[in-house]
Amino acid sequence: MDIIIRDNYDEMSRYAAGVIADFIRKKPNCVLGLATGSTPIGTYKELIRMHKEEGLDFSQVVTFNLDEYLGLGIDLDKPYHLDQSYARFMYEELFKHINIRQENTYVPDGLTRDPEKYCQWYEEEIKKAGGIDLQLLGIGGDGHWAFNEPGSSLASRTRVQALNKQTLDDNYESFFKKAGIERDKMPHFAITMGIGTILEARNILMLASGLKKADVVAKCLEGPVTSQITASAIQLHSGGITVVLDRDAASRLNNLDHYLHVEKLKREYGLL
Ligand code: GLP
């Protein structure tokens, strides 16, 4: 596991975008798993810059998003701040700015009439695409990946999940409040890739920034692997793992000095 610590959010975002851009350059038709939330916005901005200024080419890239609120779907007739769907978030924060083909971008359909069947279909599409080469992830305040709330099986697959109070509070503050939506009117369920699905990605890139995430990052990376902090499943992943943190998010890690030392060493030996 490469644990990379950067001074601030912008540096974290630049590093993460560099990892993704390297994947795309090496394999132009790579399959990316993408995430929503405030954390990856800077990474997407940097990818957009690379596309515009350096010609980073997304024309063959395929993407699968982690999750979507049940009951929400993209509605381009609404202004962005009134459309809380993750599909809209991806469109506004990344897709509309780059040369990706719309038909190559998969975001779970929150408006599906048959969520169970749909979730199976989503899993099959990931398989048909050859599996995910690189999965980008944030971490929720309660330690979740995607919407795998505490208690989700570490072998779980794409499915409907009820959101817990902390997630509802966090996501209300960050995304729903500005639309003037009442707290109890926000969706309480979501379609989410499972932890088992995520662990099948060949590589994982997890980001966290800010003091608010420091405790949960320490639990995820240094605590026991537990379904109570579903992101701790990162410790079970068998492929390439890169965790990029800013100083604040890294500040409660017990082994911080060790990670900084290893990063320096790997750099000296050309391994990073
Ligand atoms: C949501 C998303 C997660 C994301 C988390 C953290 O719950 N489903 O995929 O990692 O929020 O969001 P933020 O980056 O805004 O802290």
Side-chain angles (χ1 to χ4, degrees):
M1 189 182 311
D2 291 328
I3 300 181
I4 309 289
I5 293 145
R6 286 290 171 267
D7 279 345
N8 52 47
Y9 177 81
D10 288 346
E11 300 271 317
M12 175 201 77
S13 304
R14 261 196 290 280
Y15 191 96
V19 172
I20 298 171
D22 280 350
F23 260 85
I24 299 173
R25 288 194 196 101
K26 277 187 202 129
K27 188 178 175 190
N29 62 347
C30 66
V31 181
L32 299 177
L34 296 180
T36 51
S38 0
T39 311
I41 290 178
T43 304
Y44 294 151
K45 278 200 167 56
E46 178 62 7
L47 287 173
I48 294 165
R49 189 200 64 74
M50 287 170 154
H51 167 67
K52 294 201 164 138
E53 292 176 15
E54 298 166 16
L56 185 65
D57 180 17
F58 290 83
S59 62
Q60 297 178 64
V61 172
V62 177
T63 64
F64 285 91
N65 260 80
L66 286 168
D67 46 12
E68 176 64 282
Y69 293 106
L70 204 61
L72 297 193
I74 190 165
D75 182 353
L76 290 170
D77 291 336
K78 282 186 184 165
Y80 180 25
H81 76 284
L82 294 180
D83 181 354
Q84 308 302 316
S85 70
Y86 279 169
R88 181 64 176 272
F89 174 97
M90 290 310 302
Y91 175 74
E92 298 287 343
E93 303 295 342
L94 183 64
F95 297 153
K96 79 172 185 188
H97 306 282
I98 57 175
N99 66 332
I100 198 158
R101 294 199 181 135
Q102 204 208 322
E103 65 269 28
N104 286 350
T105 64
Y106 294 77
V107 179
D109 179 7
L111 297 176
T112 177
R113 280 162 184 248
D114 188 343
E116 203 177 316
K117 205 164 149 204
Y118 181 82
C119 291
Q120 279 170 15
W121 175 84
Y122 202 71
E123 290 268 341
E124 279 157 23
E125 289 304 300
I126 295 173
K127 283 204 185 88
K128 269 198 230 158
I132 292 172
D133 290 304
L134 175 66
Q135 177 67 57
L136 175 65
L137 292 153
I139 180 170
D142 62 3
H144 67 221
W145 263 353
F147 273 130
N148 292 281
E149 297 290 40
S152 298
S153 155
L154 299 184
S156 52
R157 311 302 307 186
T158 303
R159 67 202 187 288
V160 172
Q161 166 78 56
L163 308 183
N164 79 3
K165 188 178 173 311
Q166 186 178 350
T167 301
L168 291 169
D169 287 347
D170 289 349
N171 293 5
Y172 180 72
E173 283 303 317
S174 328
F175 291 101
F176 286 86
K177 204 175 173 180
K178 64 178 179 221
I181 293 167
E182 285 167 43
R183 163 74 170 66
D184 58 354
K185 296 263 164 57
M186 71 178 282
H188 285 48
F189 292 87
I191 293 178
T192 180
M193 271 191 211
I195 295 295
T197 321
I198 294 169
L199 288 177
E200 280 171 13
R202 286 183 275 280
N203 295 277
I204 280 183
L205 172 60
M206 186 174 104
L207 313 181
S209 120
L211 267 184
K212 240 175 87 183
K213 295 284 170 74
D215 274 333
V216 84
V217 163
K219 284 182 187 155
C220 160
L221 298 179
E222 295 179 334
V225 174
T226 166
S227 63
Q228 295 306 304
I229 304 282
T230 56
S232 67
I234 196 167
Q235 298 174 43
L236 299 172
H237 188 256
S238 58
I241 309 174
T242 308
V243 179
V244 195
L245 308 170
D246 67 8
R247 285 217 173 254
D248 285 344
S251 59
R252 308 248 160 86
L253 290 169
N254 276 325
N255 282 325
L256 180 58
D257 290 344
H258 170 66
Y259 307 135
L260 292 168
H261 170 71
V262 171
E263 186 192 339
K264 191 165 162 272
L265 214 60
K266 282 188 175 166
R267 226 164 264 296
E268 278 168 23
Y269 281 78
L271 299 171
L272 270 181

